[in-house]
């Protein structure tokens, strides 16, 4: 089966059918979301002195995301299948499906027009939460089944941003949804994140080949630059001579969270601390893995919402998810959603300062 041509949204369409919604707390914390790509366009949060700053990279409006010269998935919900599928193909129930190869020989982040580039419906919105839905058609971007998907962003009094995903389908299909916000806890555009200290609750990661497809091995991080079991500055080992770092041009790998790979309970994934401002981001998830990406493809050519340029490694992503290429790796926890089942996934981004 071939991939049907997909059309993205024009800047004109975006201007008329998208808008911004802001979740607010009395302490000043704010999260702004557009229904284009369910993108989080900004996150205002306090540093140790109570100063609010926007810690999410991105643009102001949907039209600006569309017009941008590069589209590194800033703030978006990524799907139908976040991360890579080898050679853009998989077989399910005896049928072979062909997807766009939009990342070298491989399929990345749902294809040419993934969930990050479509207009979502806003079903409800308040100061606390926004509920967005999207219906991906059968064979949209080459995937089987009409998939009804929703994402709810909720901002709590404890400065937690709770992201709840749900999906149902009428044909078996792979589903792997994630949130692709790039954080810089010193404020968007304020230099690199190399001084940020990261702890990842993961003793193993999934090493990759030259196309960033997992080899299938779950490798121990011990005695490697991939060991973030104790807090460590992102920049400490990132330039170390290491085959996996070279392949990722830095960190761009999936860590296997410390829980049963098929476990679905909410567990700690990561803690990130910016020593300069004291801001802390704590990430918990029901997912088995997290792609820790250090903005290796940012080059300083993109200018963000406040006019600052986004430098190489000017942001990091913690994309909670199932492991890359799961549809082709029977040993990995399954990403197949069948009719009658409900896909459910939760990730919490909690903000504090010390
Ligand atoms: C993910 C991928 C990276 C890159 C970014 C967006 O993190 O793993 O290789 O595609 O998204 O640029």
């Amino acid at each position: 089966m071939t991939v049907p041509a997909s059309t993205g949204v024009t800047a004109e369409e975006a201007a008329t059918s998208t808008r911004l919604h802001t979740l607010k707390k009395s302490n000043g914390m704010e999260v702004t979301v557009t229904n284009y790509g369910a993108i989080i366009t900004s996150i205002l949060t306090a540093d140790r002195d109570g100063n609010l700053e926007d810690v999410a990279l991105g643009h102001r409006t949907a039209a600006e995301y569309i017009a941008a010269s590069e589209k590194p998935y800033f703030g978006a919900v990524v799907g139908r299948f976040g991360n890579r599928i080898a050679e853009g193909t998989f077989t399910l129930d005896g049928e072979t499906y062909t997807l766009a190869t939009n990342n070298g020989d491989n399929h990345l982040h749902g294809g040419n027009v993934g969930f990050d580039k479509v207009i979502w419906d806003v079903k409800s919105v308040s100061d606390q939460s926004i509920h967005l839905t999207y219906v991906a058609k059968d064979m949209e971007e080459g995937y089987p089944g009409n998939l009804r998907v929703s994402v709810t962003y909720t901002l709590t009094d404890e400065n937690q941003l709770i992201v709840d995903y749900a999906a149902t389908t009428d044909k078996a299909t792979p589903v792997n949804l994630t949130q692709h916000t790039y954080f810089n806890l010193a404020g968007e555009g304020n230099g690199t994140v190399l001084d940020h200290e990261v702890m990842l609750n993961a003793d193993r990661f999934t090493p990759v080949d030259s196309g960033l497809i997992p080899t299938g091995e779950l490798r121990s991080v011990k005695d490697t630059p991939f060991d973030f079991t104790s807090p460590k500055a992102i920049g400490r080992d990132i330039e170390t001579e290491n085959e996996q770092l070279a392949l990722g041009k830095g960190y761009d790998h999936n860590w296997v969270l410390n829980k049963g790979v098929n476990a679905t309970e909410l567990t700690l994934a990561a803690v990130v601390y910016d020593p300069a401002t004291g801001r802390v981001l704590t990430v918990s998830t029901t997912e088995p893995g997290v792609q820790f990406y250090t903005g290796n493809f940012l080059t300083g050519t993109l200018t963000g919402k406040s006019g600052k340029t986004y430098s190489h490694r000017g942001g990091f992503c913690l994309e909670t998810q199932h492991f890359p290429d799961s549809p082709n790796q029977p040993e990995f926890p399954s990403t197949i959603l069948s009719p009658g089942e409900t896909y459910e996934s939760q990730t919490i981004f909690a903000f504090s300062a010390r």
Side-chain angles (χ1 to χ4, degrees):
M1 293 196 195
T2 51
V3 188
S6 307
T7 47
V9 180
T10 65
E12 291 72 32
E13 284 164 336
T16 52
S17 27
T18 65
R19 56 162 295 198
L20 299 170
H21 301 273
T22 300
L23 315 181
K24 291 186 179 107
K25 286 289 144 197
S26 52
N27 63 13
M29 182 156 182
E30 286 188 12
V31 174
T32 299
V33 175
T34 165
N35 55 319
Y36 175 69
I39 290 172
I40 295 173
T41 63
S42 78
I43 301 175
L44 282 188
T45 186
D47 69 5
R48 61 163 76 89
D49 300 318
N51 299 313
L52 293 168
E53 189 126 31
D54 185 351
V55 298
L57 277 59
H59 308 289
R60 267 169 312 203
T61 61
E64 288 183 9
Y65 283 84
I66 291 166
S69 59
E70 290 163 48
K71 299 179 172 60
Y73 306 90
F74 284 152
V77 167
V78 170
R80 175 177 311 206
F81 193 93
N83 217 309
R84 292 174 179 75
I85 296 179
E87 292 171 15
T89 184
F90 64 93
T91 300
L92 184 57
D93 295 336
E95 190 92 50
T96 296
Y97 294 92
T98 305
L99 312 170
T101 45
N102 56 332
N103 187 249
D105 294 336
N106 301 317
H107 178 79
L108 177 68
H109 292 337
N112 293 322
V113 184
F115 294 177
D116 60 296
K117 294 185 186 69
V118 298
I119 295 180
W120 294 60
D121 284 330
V122 178
K123 289 292 178 193
S124 64
V125 60
S126 69
D127 278 357
Q128 256 103 261
S129 109
I130 180 166
H131 180 64
L132 302 119
T133 63
Y134 177 66
V135 183
K137 298 211 169 48
D138 185 25
M139 295 311 288
E140 181 170 321
E141 288 293 330
Y143 290 97
N146 293 294
L147 187 77
R148 308 180 79 83
V149 36
S150 75
V151 61
T152 308
Y153 296 117
T154 306
L155 188 58
T156 72
D157 290 335
E158 292 75 42
N159 293 341
Q160 296 178 321
L161 173 61
I162 305 179
V163 187
D164 283 296
Y165 308 91
T168 55
T169 184
D170 57 8
K171 269 188 209 160
T173 181
V175 181
N176 195 24
L177 303 177
T178 192
Q179 224 299 328
H180 210 303
T181 291
Y182 288 66
F183 299 96
N184 184 326
L185 299 181
E188 56 88 29
N190 289 345
T192 76
V193 293
L194 294 171
D195 289 342
H196 286 40
E197 292 166 12
V198 173
M199 190 286 296
L200 298 175
N201 183 22
D203 295 338
R204 294 174 297 171
F205 75 112
T206 51
V208 291
D209 68 12
S210 60
L212 302 193
I213 298 293
T215 60
E217 186 192 351
L218 307 185
R219 186 180 292 174
S220 169
V221 297
K222 206 168 184 315
D223 301 324
T224 79
F226 290 78
D227 190 350
F228 284 92
T229 53
S230 301
K232 176 174 87 174
I234 292 176
R236 198 183 86 180
D237 296 335
I238 202 166
E239 299 296 349
T240 306
E241 206 171 305
N242 174 278
E243 185 219 13
Q244 286 297 316
L245 279 175
L247 291 171
K249 300 189 166 53
Y251 298 107
D252 191 358
H253 296 75
N254 168 68
W255 269 254
V256 178
L257 295 173
N258 288 338
K259 60 178 155 188
V261 286
N262 288 306
T264 55
E265 77 272 18
L266 187 74
T267 57
L268 179 67
V271 181
V272 186
Y273 170 64
D274 172 34
T277 63
R279 288 195 186 87
V280 179
L281 168 63
T282 303
V283 182
S284 313
T285 187
T286 57
E287 289 295 312
V290 63
Q291 183 90 2
F292 175 48
Y293 169 59
T294 47
N296 311 313
F297 296 120
L298 296 177
T299 55
T301 51
L302 270 179
T303 302
K305 51 198 147 186
S306 64
K308 295 176 185 163
T309 54
Y310 292 147
S311 59
H312 186 225
R313 300 188 175 140
F316 66 90
C317 302
L318 288 163
E319 302 158 55
T320 53
Q321 57 170 9
H322 272 56
F323 307 165
D325 196 35
S326 290
N328 295 311
Q329 308 232 12
E331 302 297 310
F332 287 176
S334 173
T335 49
I336 304 303
L337 179 71
S338 296
E341 297 173 346
T342 301
Y343 169 98
E344 280 177 311
S345 173
Q346 184 179 70
T347 292
I348 301 181
F349 298 98
F351 296 89
S352 57
R354 64 174 190 240

